[in-house]
Amino acid sequence: MSSGRGRHYPLAVSEVRVPGDVLVHLRRARDHLDRHFAEPTDLDALAAIARLSKYHFLRSFARVYGRTPAAYLGERRIERAQDLLRTTNLTVTEVCHAVGYSSLGSFSARFTELTGETPSAFQRRYLSLGTPMIPGCYVFMAGLVELRNPGEAPRRP
């Protein structure tokens, strides 16, 4: 389905005509994004995970999930940031880096675009409720978040 301006609106996954074997490969790439949301990735790597050519992967992913892999990854990162801002005493900068952004400005702009409020305002709103926050040191010790310097490559076990 599309509007008169050439913009395509996603169909439900069940309505999209994609061969079953391609859907399995797309899910593999999507699952990789879900598990490794804080790590840098690129289209070539995702297409290789999906075992598809990069342009076929990009078109198929956007058709099935209604957004590009980059947009999907951005949404996952912001969802995780919301969880951290809501439940921990991490600073906005620490959360920014923990979810894979290297630029606080880019993180804040994307967060505001998706949630309608700045990360700081979002965090203040939950702090005002008086709910206890998990200390950041516990979050790091438990391995729930890995804090890296901006631009640093992820550590592999």
Side-chain angles (χ1 to χ4, degrees):
M1 198 185 281
S2 66
S3 70
R5 299 181 70 185
R7 183 171 179 160
H8 298 283
Y9 294 94
L11 301 170
V13 172
S14 61
E15 297 174 3
V16 176
R17 301 272 188 238
V18 174
D21 61 331
V22 172
L23 195 54
V24 168
H25 296 303
L26 293 174
R27 285 184 185 140
R28 182 182 303 120
R30 186 198 60 196
D31 290 347
H32 176 83
L33 287 173
D34 289 339
R35 282 189 309 274
H36 303 282
F37 66 89
E39 298 174 12
T41 191
D42 62 13
L43 186 58
D44 290 322
L46 289 173
I49 290 166
R51 299 180 187 156
L52 298 169
S53 74
K54 76 177 178 181
Y55 297 111
H56 182 58
F57 167 73
L58 181 61
R59 281 190 307 273
S60 298
F61 191 100
R63 186 161 184 216
V64 169
Y65 298 113
R67 60 196 53 78
T68 65
Y72 181 86
L73 178 60
E75 289 173 12
R76 294 291 82 69
R77 287 177 171 175
I78 297 304
E79 286 173 1
R80 182 66 177 135
Q82 287 178 295
D83 290 340
L84 292 171
L85 290 169
R86 189 176 20 248
T87 60
T88 70
N89 70 352
L90 297 174
T91 66
V92 171
T93 302
E94 289 170 328
V95 170
C96 164
H97 296 301
V99 299
Y101 281 88
S102 57
S103 163
L104 184 58
S106 297
F107 168 70
S108 294
R110 185 72 172 143
F111 191 98
T112 303
E113 178 185 327
L114 291 175
T115 67
E117 62 186 324
T118 66
S120 299
F122 182 89
Q123 188 175 47
R124 266 194 310 277
R125 186 162 49 90
Y126 282 92
L127 285 172
S128 70
L129 298 175
T131 54
M133 298 294 193
I134 301 168
C137 59
Y138 291 159
V139 174
F140 294 122
M141 284 187 329
L144 301 174
V145 169
E146 183 180 313
L147 190 59
R148 299 185 310 268
N149 291 324
E152 179 184 323
R155 290 178 222 125
R156 297 283 182 191

